[in-house]
Amino acid sequence: MTTTVEYIRYRIALDDQPAFEDSYRRAAESLAASPECIDYELAHSEEEGERYILRIRWTSVDAHLNGFRKGEHFPAFFTAIRPYVGSIEEMKHYAVTDVVGTGKAA
């Protein structure tokens, strides 16, 4: 199965981070309920405290744009994250290559 990975990079001021993470906890309910979403992960930079990356795996770009975004779960998702849309530095879809594997720690 071909999947699409969406990466969204944010720059969030330190004072706004607790509210930002709470917003994504609420938004995650919509992702978890979406049949187009495979999984998701919000990561916080350990080197640059204002940076976050959200990774969402979708079944396809079309499923994301025409399924999720036009579906019943998007309004609640967008309401939760709307205050942070202006903090997005990049939002792109990527195709997974065949270069995958696990390391010794797995």
Side-chain angles (χ1 to χ4, degrees):
M1 166 160 69
T2 302
T3 62
T4 296
V5 182
E6 179 184 25
Y7 290 101
I8 307 172
R9 290 187 310 114
Y10 288 92
R11 183 182 295 265
I12 305 295
L14 297 177
D15 291 345
D16 295 334
Q17 290 178 5
F20 174 76
E21 290 183 22
D22 285 343
S23 293
Y24 260 102
R25 282 183 193 92
R26 288 191 308 280
E29 294 174 14
S30 298
L31 293 174
S34 169
E36 297 86 9
C37 178
I38 298 168
D39 60 17
Y40 54 89
E41 171 184 78
L42 180 64
H44 186 205
S45 174
E46 294 184 358
E47 291 84 15
E48 297 180 67
E50 293 185 337
R51 295 190 182 273
Y52 284 84
I53 294 179
L54 177 67
R55 178 194 55 81
I56 306 173
R57 283 196 313 150
W58 301 102
T59 54
S60 69
V61 173
D62 184 63
H64 173 217
L65 299 178
N66 294 308
F68 179 71
R69 284 200 181 169
K70 294 179 181 178
E72 64 180 305
H73 302 292
F74 183 73
F77 173 84
F78 191 71
T79 296
I81 61 109
R82 174 174 269 165
Y84 305 101
V85 170
S87 299
I88 293 172
E89 295 184 322
E90 178 187 28
M91 182 168 48
K92 302 282 184 199
H93 293 101
Y94 292 83
V96 176
T97 71
D98 63 353
V99 181
V100 297
T102 57
K104 274 286 205 206

